[in-house]
Amino acid sequence: QVQLAESGGGLVQAGGSLRLSCLASGRTFNSYTVGWFRQTPGKEREFVAKTAWWTFTTSYGDSVKGRFAISRDNVKNTVYLQMNSLKPEDTAVYYCAAKQYSSPTRPGDYDYWGQGTPVTVSS
């Protein structure tokens, strides 16, 4: 089992940057795919980015490609989401999630979730 805690959200102007962190508990962090998702009221949770278990390859949602970068530090059990060139439409609560031994994209396939960190991008 793993517990996740996000941090780093806040208020930023359009065009600015933020870095989110997701700290995971547990001793088998390498065996987990960690994904970032976001959600706004009344909408489904949207895939943002993930870093796969074992290979640590990354992939991104179409709306953030070229602007966001996901990385992981397996010593610190932490996954980061560097968000650049932020737009007002990036405003959402951002969640990290973990899934062991597979690398899904759908939020329903993840087993563990953090509490979320809010990001607000002003125009």
Side-chain angles (χ1 to χ4, degrees):
Q1 191 167 356
V2 64
Q3 292 183 325
L4 304 171
E6 304 95 336
S7 61
L11 174 64
V12 63
Q13 288 188 334
S17 298
L18 279 176
R19 189 178 79 159
L20 306 183
S21 299
C22 174
L23 175 63
S25 66
R27 295 181 292 177
T28 58
F29 184 61
N30 289 1
S31 68
Y32 286 87
T33 289
V34 177
W36 283 98
F37 297 81
R38 65 188 183 186
Q39 191 170 25
T40 54
K43 292 189 176 181
E44 294 185 353
R45 201 161 287 190
E46 176 190 9
F47 168 71
V48 174
K50 66 177 179 177
T51 170
W53 74 288
W54 186 249
T55 64
F56 312 135
T57 55
T58 60
S59 61
Y60 298 91
D62 289 341
S63 61
V64 306
K65 282 180 182 177
R67 299 188 297 122
F68 290 11
I70 189 171
S71 60
R72 66 193 293 162
D73 184 331
N74 291 321
V75 173
K76 296 182 177 179
N77 279 15
T78 302
V79 172
Y80 304 99
L81 184 69
Q82 179 67 42
M83 306 187 296
N84 300 324
S85 302
L86 282 162
K87 305 175 182 179
E89 50 263 45
D90 294 318
T91 295
V93 177
Y94 283 72
Y95 300 88
C96 65
K99 174 69 175 181
Q100 196 173 30
Y101 300 137
S102 68
S103 185
T105 301
R106 297 182 304 179
D109 292 332
Y110 282 77
D111 297 317
Y112 306 101
W113 290 85
Q115 293 300 307
T117 185
V119 172
T120 302
V121 183
S122 63
S123 58

